[in-house]
């Protein structure tokens, strides 16, 4: 049996309070398991006892036609830490009550720790899913619950005799599928999952052999400059090419290698391979581009990853700016306190560090605040909804806008269509990676077509890189794009919110730019503006302004008017925003359109014709 982290690989969680699934030696030291019947905390029957009992009295046949739902409380540890064990126990009892209520008439059991199990005979997966959602709603409001999510895995027995413990294992495996996924609270065990787990088991049994026999290979996926369409880099992605199973993709083996604490071995291999391939590229006389490699969170814990990178770079004499380090969101989200030091050390030495899969985890924004990155790779899931909802575009554009304001370059991955490419280019996303250009392909494919794939016509030169990196800093989405990158939060559009009660006007909000405009004609507040307007205009003009506002309200359209004010001329655009009783709110954008004409002394930066 393969040993993972010093423990036999089993999906059975054990109860810290002593309850176990399969039952250890029973009281009195009998050689045969004699599991306890009742869990002292929740008063529920224990799964181990229940399964043993059904086998003993042959009442397990209905089990083969039942559905097993395995529940797991996320971050239960934090409840115990915050509210002590008594608080944790109270939470479990509430959880039990809700399950009994929602699954009335079905069997509710405790499987140990924070795992409860429901064995149902009459519910479809959809009906169970509905109950899981209701459970989360109730438990989300439980005051001692810290909004913990409860995840569920569902296994539907197909009628063939099977060991109950295997059935529950499958429900528990399905549950694990949704552990880190914020917007999913259940998963049904199906053939795809079965396949995946068989593949994972294969990985567990064969990874030593794969390392020894050199089954790991590097595939390279090109990264393209949006503005020019030229290749400006490659991402190195690991592939396991197995003589029996064919190509095993990373999503199968990365997880397993992380679990068995061998991922650093793979990553060191990929880093070395990338440097070796880059050296061949440099020596070939064709164009060569930076290569990025993926670093796992565990690389930082299990190895001196800075040394691993430096050694490989030194061995193949690679300029440091040609090896890029991608650190995934999950890596950054872990509790690793020294990660910031590692990132800083890499950057100080001249490497670029990129944040990968931005937006996929819980703490994307915290990470941007805490660490310094050169590039932000937008998680490809945002593009998966590109055609389904316009929200996707807004979110992607906001990420690009924010990144530029923070002085970070942007790359979008998972680009599959021309429309996606055009959109990303239009919002100023600098680099693009995805099947639209190329899937990851083996090095031999590049070598076979070197003249075509690696020429200076298709690939970026170092001079072009420096040049387009500067151009990439321009924020097409900024309302003041001419301003140089800064960290000041401000808008150059003079904006105010005005509240009208009958014919009285008060200011609710004014921004800095608005104040600059009204200051220019001697007003310090919105009330000042109204006073000046009244003083300088006839009642007829004031009525006109009032009518404009009424029209804005009625039509829900933007109204525009210009008027003289203190020897100035101002242009005003307004939109009705909302009302409460006799209070009506309008949003205003104003411009002093006389200001430019009046200016007599030319500014040193302004060319006069
Ligand atoms: P990643 O770093 O986000 O890599 C991008 C993944 O998206 C790659 O999958 C790539 O093949 C895929 N991809 C690229 N363009 C498209 C597209 O247009 N559409 C779609 N649907 N997918 C696209 P891959 O190679 O299977 O890698 C999966 C993940 O495994 C990687 O995600 C990375 O997190 C991890 N990984 C891969 N190689 C390594 C490695 O050497 N070390 C470590 N630690 N992780 C690795
Ligand atoms: Ca990556
Ligand atoms: Ca990624």
């Amino acid at each position: 049996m393969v040993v993972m982290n010093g423990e036999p690989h089993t999906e059975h969680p054990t109860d810290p309070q002593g309850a176990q699934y399969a039952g250890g030696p029973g009281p009195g030291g009998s050689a045969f398991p004699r599991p306890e019947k009742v869990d002292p905390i929740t008063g529920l029957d224990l799964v181990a006892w229940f399964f043993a009992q059904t086998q003993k009295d042959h009442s397990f046949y209905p089990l083969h036609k039942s559905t097993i739902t395995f529940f797991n409380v996320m971050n239960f540890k934090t409840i115990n830490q915050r509210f002590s064990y008594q608080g944790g126990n109270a939470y479990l009892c509430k959880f039990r009550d809700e399950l009994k209520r929602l699954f009335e008439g079905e069997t509710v059991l405790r499987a140990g720790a924070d795992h409860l199990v429901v064995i149902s005979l009459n519910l479809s997966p959809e009906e169970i899913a509905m109950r899981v959602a209701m459970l989360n709603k109730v438990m989300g409001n439980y005051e001692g619950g810290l909004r913990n999510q409860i995840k569920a895995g569902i296994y539907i027995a197909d009628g063939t005799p099977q060991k109950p413990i295997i059935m529950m294992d499958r429900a528990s495996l399905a549950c694990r599928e949704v552990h880190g996924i914020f917007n999913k609270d259940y998963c049904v065990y199906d053939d795809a999952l079965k396949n995946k787990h068989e593949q994972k088991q294969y990985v567990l049994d064969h990874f030593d052999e794969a390392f020894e026999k050199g089954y790991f290979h590097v595939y390279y996926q090109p990264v393209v400059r949006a503005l020019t369409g030229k290749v400006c880099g490659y991402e190195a992605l690991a592939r396991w090419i197995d003589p029996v199973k064919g190509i095993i993709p990373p999503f199968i083996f990365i997880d397993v290698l992380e679990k068995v604490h061998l991922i650093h071995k793979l990553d060191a291999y990929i880093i070395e391979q990338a440097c070796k391939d880059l050296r061949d590229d440099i020596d070939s006389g064709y164009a060569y581009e930076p290569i990025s490699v993926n670093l796992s969170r565990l690389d930082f814990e299990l190895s001196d990853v800075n040394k691993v990178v430096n050694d490989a770079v030194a061995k193949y004499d690679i300029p440091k700016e040609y090896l890029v380090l991608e650190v995934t969101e999950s890596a950054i989200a872990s509790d690793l306190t020294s990660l910031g030091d590692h990132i800083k050390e890499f950057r100080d030495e001249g490497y670029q560090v990129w944040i990968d899969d931005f937006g996929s985890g819980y703490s994307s924004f915290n990470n941007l605040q805490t660490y310094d990155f050169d590039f932000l790779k937008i998680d490809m899931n945002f593009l998966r909804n590109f055609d389904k909802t316009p929200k996707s575009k807004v979110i992607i554009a906001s990420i690009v806008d924010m990144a530029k304001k923070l002085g970070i370059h942007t790359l979008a991955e998972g680009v599959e269509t021309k429309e996606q490419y055009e959109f990303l280019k239009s919002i100023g996303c600098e680099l693009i990676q995805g099947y639209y250009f190329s899937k990851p392909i083996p090095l031999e494919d590049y070598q076979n077509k070197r003249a075509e794939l690696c020429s200076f016509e298709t690939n970026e030169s170092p001079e072009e890189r420096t040049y387009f990196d500067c151009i990439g800093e321009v924020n097409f989405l900024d309302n003041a794009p001419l301003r140089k990158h800064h960290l000041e939060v401000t808008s150059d559009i003079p904006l105010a919110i005005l509240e009208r009660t009958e014919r009285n006007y008060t200011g609710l909000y004014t921004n800095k730019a608005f104040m600059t405009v009204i200051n220019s004609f001697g007003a310090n507040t919105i009330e000042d503006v109204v006073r000046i307007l009244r003083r300088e205009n006839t009642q007829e003009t004031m009525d006109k302004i009032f009518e404009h506002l009424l029209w804005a309200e009625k039509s829900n359209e933007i109204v525009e008017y210009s008027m003289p004010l203190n020897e100035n001329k101002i242009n005003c655009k307004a939109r009705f925003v909302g009302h409460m009783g006799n209070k009506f709110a309008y949003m205003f954008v104003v411009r002093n359109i006389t200001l430019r004409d009046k200016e007599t002394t030319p500014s040193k930066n302004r060319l006069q014709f």
Side-chain angles (χ1 to χ4, degrees):
M1 177 184 276
V2 176
V3 173
M4 295 168 68
N5 304 340
E7 276 182 56
H9 170 53
T10 163
E11 300 297 343
H12 305 178
T14 48
D15 186 348
Q17 327 231 1
Q20 290 181 332
Y21 287 138
S30 154
F32 295 102
R34 215 182 292 156
E36 295 291 329
K37 178 177 187 306
V38 177
D39 165 43
I41 293 164
T42 59
L44 292 170
D45 284 347
L46 287 162
V47 160
W49 174 85
F50 182 82
F51 286 166
Q53 191 62 26
T54 53
Q55 246 157 334
K56 206 165 110 194
D57 63 12
H58 300 285
S59 64
F60 57 88
Y61 293 106
L63 262 181
H64 302 143
K65 290 193 197 125
S66 69
T67 298
I68 299 191
T69 309
F70 183 94
F71 292 88
N72 188 1
V73 184
M74 297 294 96
N75 300 318
F76 187 59
K77 210 170 70 183
T78 52
I79 299 183
N80 277 333
Q81 278 166 353
R82 182 96 175 257
F83 301 107
S84 78
Y85 275 101
Q86 280 90 326
N89 290 348
Y91 179 92
L92 284 179
C93 290
K94 170 79 177 154
F95 179 14
R96 167 206 64 200
D97 292 345
E98 288 307 321
L99 278 191
K100 284 195 151 187
R101 185 177 66 80
L102 290 163
F103 291 86
E104 202 185 338
E106 314 289 2
T107 309
V108 181
L109 304 164
R110 185 172 185 208
D114 49 352
H115 310 135
L116 300 193
V117 166
V118 172
I119 299 177
S120 50
L121 284 166
N122 305 309
L123 293 173
S124 68
E126 291 75 29
E127 286 168 321
I128 294 174
M130 227 166 64
R131 285 165 173 75
V132 174
M134 290 189 303
L135 174 75
N136 268 308
K137 209 165 170 198
V138 177
M139 294 306 286
N141 289 328
Y142 177 67
E143 56 178 76
L146 297 170
R147 299 204 165 270
N148 286 51
Q149 257 197 324
I150 298 175
K151 304 282 186 183
I154 302 170
Y155 175 72
I156 310 154
D158 59 8
T160 53
Q162 290 181 63
K163 282 191 177 155
I165 196 75
I166 289 182
M167 294 164 61
M168 195 185 67
D169 233 17
R170 290 180 174 166
S172 143
L173 279 178
C175 186
R176 272 163 187 256
E177 280 301 296
V178 285
H179 271 197
I181 306 176
F182 183 70
N183 57 357
K184 271 184 92 175
D185 52 13
Y186 77 97
C187 172
V188 181
Y189 187 90
D190 58 9
D191 282 350
L193 199 57
K194 182 168 174 238
N195 231 334
K196 186 171 149 191
H197 284 287
E198 277 170 5
Q199 275 185 301
K200 288 205 168 182
Q201 193 55 47
Y202 184 86
V203 169
L204 267 175
D205 296 340
H206 294 88
F207 60 77
D208 274 338
E209 188 190 345
F211 273 125
E212 264 165 42
K213 297 191 174 162
Y215 295 162
F216 286 105
H217 294 258
V218 188
Y219 275 34
Y220 292 99
Q221 186 176 33
V223 175
V224 169
R225 173 88 55 191
L227 278 184
T228 59
K230 284 193 176 185
V231 172
C232 60
Y234 301 93
E235 178 172 6
L237 294 153
R239 296 288 179 270
W240 171 337
I241 304 180
D242 190 86
V244 179
K245 296 276 178 186
I247 298 184
I248 304 178
F251 78 91
I252 298 292
F253 62 80
I254 298 284
D255 265 12
V256 179
L257 291 181
E258 284 186 338
K259 265 192 195 142
V260 296
H261 282 190
L262 278 175
I263 187 70
H264 60 298
K265 208 172 144 186
L266 173 76
D267 285 341
Y269 174 76
I270 302 287
I271 290 164
E272 160 120 18
Q273 203 59 35
C275 290
K276 185 166 171 282
D277 293 342
L278 199 50
R279 173 48 43 205
D280 288 348
D281 248 13
I282 296 171
D283 293 342
S284 74
Y286 286 97
Y288 57 93
E289 309 297 334
I291 293 179
S292 57
V293 292
N294 291 282
L295 297 182
S296 155
R297 167 183 59 89
L298 285 167
D299 291 342
F300 296 92
E301 286 174 29
L302 300 171
S303 64
D304 183 349
V305 67
N306 296 68
K307 183 173 180 320
V308 170
V309 168
N310 279 329
D311 287 354
V313 159
K315 182 170 168 192
Y316 294 98
D317 189 20
I318 303 293
K320 286 181 174 166
E321 63 273 24
Y322 275 78
L323 189 74
V324 173
L325 307 160
E326 291 189 15
V327 185
T328 54
E329 262 269 83
S330 59
I332 301 159
S334 79
D335 291 342
L336 197 68
T337 42
S338 59
L339 191 72
D341 298 338
H342 288 289
I343 292 177
K344 187 172 180 313
E345 196 180 320
F346 273 133
R347 295 187 78 234
D348 288 348
E349 277 170 343
Y351 297 98
Q352 285 207 356
V353 181
W354 296 7
I355 177 170
D356 199 0
D357 304 334
F358 180 83
S360 65
Y362 294 101
S363 38
S364 314
F365 295 97
N366 272 344
N367 292 329
L368 284 191
Q369 222 176 190
T370 317
Y371 310 108
D372 290 323
F373 297 102
D374 300 282
F375 257 89
L376 177 159
K377 284 186 94 164
I378 303 168
D379 187 60
M380 69 175 84
N381 278 318
F382 292 114
L383 277 181
R384 295 290 77 85
N385 293 317
F386 190 81
D387 295 324
K388 289 183 214 131
T389 161
K391 286 183 193 171
S392 142
K393 287 185 187 169
V394 176
I395 294 170
I396 295 169
S398 310
I399 295 175
V400 170
D401 180 38
M402 174 192 66
K404 291 211 183 187
K405 284 180 174 143
L406 293 171
I408 306 173
H409 297 278
T410 46
L411 182 155
E413 54 183 340
V415 177
E416 294 182 352
T417 64
K418 187 166 189 295
E419 291 68 37
Q420 294 173 346
Y421 169 44
E422 293 297 343
F423 168 74
L424 289 158
K425 190 171 151 183
S426 77
I427 60 168
C429 178
E430 292 161 73
L431 307 189
I432 313 280
Q433 186 183 344
Y435 296 169
Y436 180 60
F437 299 102
S438 168
K439 289 197 166 183
I441 50 174
L443 185 69
E444 301 82 75
D445 288 14
Y446 290 99
Q447 284 167 339
N448 292 339
K449 292 188 179 178
R450 219 163 207 170
E452 184 191 325
L453 294 179
C454 308
S455 77
F456 284 101
E457 260 96 80
T458 54
N459 286 30
E460 192 166 89
S461 66
E463 294 75 26
E464 282 175 313
R465 179 168 315 117
T466 314
Y467 176 59
F468 282 105
D469 275 351
C470 294
I471 294 175
E473 285 175 12
V474 177
N475 187 353
F476 304 167
L477 304 168
D478 199 333
N479 64 41
L482 288 172
R483 212 166 27 193
K484 241 183 122 58
H485 153 70
H486 59 98
L487 285 172
E488 202 185 319
V489 179
T490 168
S491 165
D492 275 9
I493 298 175
L495 175 91
I497 308 274
L498 177 100
E499 189 181 82
R500 177 180 70 78
T501 315
E502 305 299 343
R503 283 178 187 245
N504 296 319
Y505 304 95
T506 10
L508 283 184
Y509 168 83
T510 50
N511 72 2
K512 225 167 142 184
F514 186 91
M515 290 309 293
T516 309
V517 174
I518 64 170
N519 289 162
S520 72
F521 51 78
N524 290 319
T525 60
I526 288 205
E527 289 74 12
D528 278 354
V529 178
V530 176
R531 256 192 302 278
I532 300 171
L533 275 175
R534 287 211 167 108
R535 196 179 64 215
E536 293 194 356
N537 290 289
T538 59
Q539 188 55 43
E540 198 184 337
T541 314
M542 292 310 288
D543 286 348
K544 259 213 172 92
I545 294 174
F546 181 66
E547 275 162 29
H548 263 88
L549 293 181
L550 292 188
W551 173 246
E553 198 183 304
K554 220 164 120 188
S555 64
N556 232 344
E557 281 174 14
I558 298 168
V559 294
E560 181 175 1
Y561 48 95
S562 300
M563 57 197 162
L565 197 75
N566 244 7
E567 293 166 27
N568 287 273
K569 193 164 182 198
I570 66 159
N571 172 272
C572 196
K573 286 183 181 164
R575 183 166 72 75
F576 171 64
V577 193
H579 79 102
M580 178 183 67
N582 63 348
K583 289 186 190 329
F584 294 81
Y586 307 86
M587 157 188 164
F588 277 86
V589 172
V590 296
R591 282 180 207 283
N592 187 340
I593 50 179
T594 42
L595 199 60
R596 185 173 289 242
D597 304 339
K598 281 183 70 183
E599 203 156 61
T600 46
T601 33
S603 130
K604 72 174 163 37
N605 292 326
R606 185 180 293 157
L607 202 59
Q608 297 273 310
F609 293 97

